[in-house]
């Protein structure tokens, strides 16, 4: 069974996926195919090391897809958060004063988010639906679950943005008043979850 599992993994990941296109299409291809394999295991009520392996492979690809989708729409925010957190961690490790952040960039990110976040979420929903369908009974992994992971990860990035700004600036910069409240974002996310 182990050799069969490895043959299927190699076929999907190494042979067939190379014919699909760009990296995002490869990831979508792998998620859909790992999901189809898991659906067979689920339908036959087979829980085994093989099904656990495919679950792990699928979750890895879903995590990549989540980050890729967010990077396409919110890449500047994500890069700023990651770089700022890294600078803060380095300063704390060296027991140095916390760095001042580029407030102009932070303000632009906050304003762009406030202006465009709902439209960008709609675009992400459209991408997820086009890649994974609205309701695929043959799939063990629903598109709504992928969308939910993307939106939760977005909220986490946005919260981290707020946290790193507050950590580095005792007096909140004036643009902090323009932040979209997290409950508003969560309310919007619930709309997508209730479909």
């Amino acid at each position: 069974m182990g050799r069969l599992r490895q043959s299927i993994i190699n076929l999907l990941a190494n042979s067939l996926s190379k014919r699909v296109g760009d990296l995002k299409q490869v990831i979508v291809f792998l998620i859909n195919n790992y999901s189809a394999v898991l659906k067979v295991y689920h339908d036959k009520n087979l829980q085994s090391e093989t099904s656990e392996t495919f679950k792990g492979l699928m979750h890895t690809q879903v995590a990549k897809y989540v980050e890729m989708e967010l990077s396409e729409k919110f890449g500047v925010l994500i890069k700023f958060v990651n770089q700022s957190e890294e600078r803060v961690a380095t300063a704390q490790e060296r027991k140095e004063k916390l760095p001042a952040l580029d407030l102009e960039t932070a303000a632009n990110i906050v304003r762009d988010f406030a202006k465009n976040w709902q439209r960008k979420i709609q675009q992400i929903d459209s991408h997820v639906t086009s890649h994974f369908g609205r309701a695929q009974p043959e799939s063990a992994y629903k598109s709504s679950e992928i969308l939910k992971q993307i939106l939760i990860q977005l909220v986490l990035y946005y919260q981290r943005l707020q946290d790193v700004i507050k950590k580095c600036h005792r007096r909140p910069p004036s643009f902090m008043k323009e932040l979209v409240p997290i409950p508003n974002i969560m309310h919007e996310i619930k709309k997508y979850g209730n479909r």
Side-chain angles (χ1 to χ4, degrees):
M1 192 65 144
R3 287 194 307 187
L4 176 60
R5 173 184 62 225
Q6 196 56 50
S7 294
I8 293 170
I9 292 169
N10 287 339
L11 178 67
L12 291 173
N14 298 327
S15 299
L16 296 177
S17 67
K18 290 183 179 168
R19 300 177 188 171
V20 174
D22 67 5
L23 179 59
K24 188 172 188 178
Q25 291 302 318
V26 169
I27 291 169
V28 169
F29 172 83
L30 291 172
I31 292 169
N32 284 324
N33 281 281
Y34 292 154
S35 183
V37 169
L38 285 167
K39 178 74 169 122
V40 170
Y41 275 88
H42 177 27
D43 289 350
K44 301 295 181 190
N45 212 13
L46 301 170
Q47 295 300 319
S48 68
E49 183 182 328
T50 300
S51 65
E52 292 304 313
T53 299
F54 279 102
K55 278 183 193 171
L57 291 168
M58 187 176 64
H59 288 299
T60 298
Q61 296 305 316
V62 169
K64 289 179 184 178
Y65 181 84
V66 165
E67 288 301 320
M68 191 173 281
E69 197 65 46
L70 283 173
S71 291
E72 289 175 9
K73 301 292 179 218
F74 298 98
V76 175
L77 182 151
I78 293 167
K79 182 178 179 184
F80 183 83
V81 167
N82 288 336
Q83 289 176 342
S84 299
E85 287 177 339
E86 188 176 314
R87 290 179 59 213
V88 167
T90 300
Q92 288 176 328
E93 189 177 287
R94 295 178 179 168
K95 300 188 187 324
E96 297 173 351
K97 181 181 173 188
L98 293 180
L101 302 178
D102 179 354
L103 292 181
E104 184 178 341
T105 300
N108 289 337
I109 290 169
V110 167
R111 289 180 183 123
D112 179 69
F113 188 90
K115 183 179 176 184
N116 298 309
W117 69 277
Q118 289 172 308
R119 179 181 53 78
K120 290 179 180 182
I121 287 175
Q122 288 173 341
Q123 291 171 345
I124 289 171
D125 177 51
S126 178
H127 289 169
V128 171
T129 301
S130 73
H131 291 135
F132 306 106
R134 183 68 65 207
Q136 293 179 335
E138 70 278 357
S139 175
Y141 209 81
K142 295 177 176 55
S143 62
S144 61
E145 293 173 37
I146 294 172
L147 180 62
K148 183 175 163 184
Q149 285 185 36
I150 293 170
L151 298 178
I152 288 170
Q153 187 64 27
L154 173 62
V155 170
L156 293 174
Y157 276 121
Y158 197 61
Q159 182 64 55
R160 287 168 54 193
L161 171 69
Q162 293 178 38
D163 293 345
V164 77
I165 293 170
K166 288 175 188 174
K167 189 179 281 189
C168 292
H169 297 277
R170 289 185 186 172
R171 292 182 66 195
S174 60
F175 65 82
M176 294 293 278
K177 294 174 188 163
E178 299 174 51
L179 287 167
V180 177
I182 299 288
N184 292 11
I185 300 169
M186 295 303 293
H187 178 73
E188 190 73 16
I189 288 172
K190 285 180 185 174
K191 290 179 187 176
Y192 287 93
N194 292 333
R195 290 195 267 163

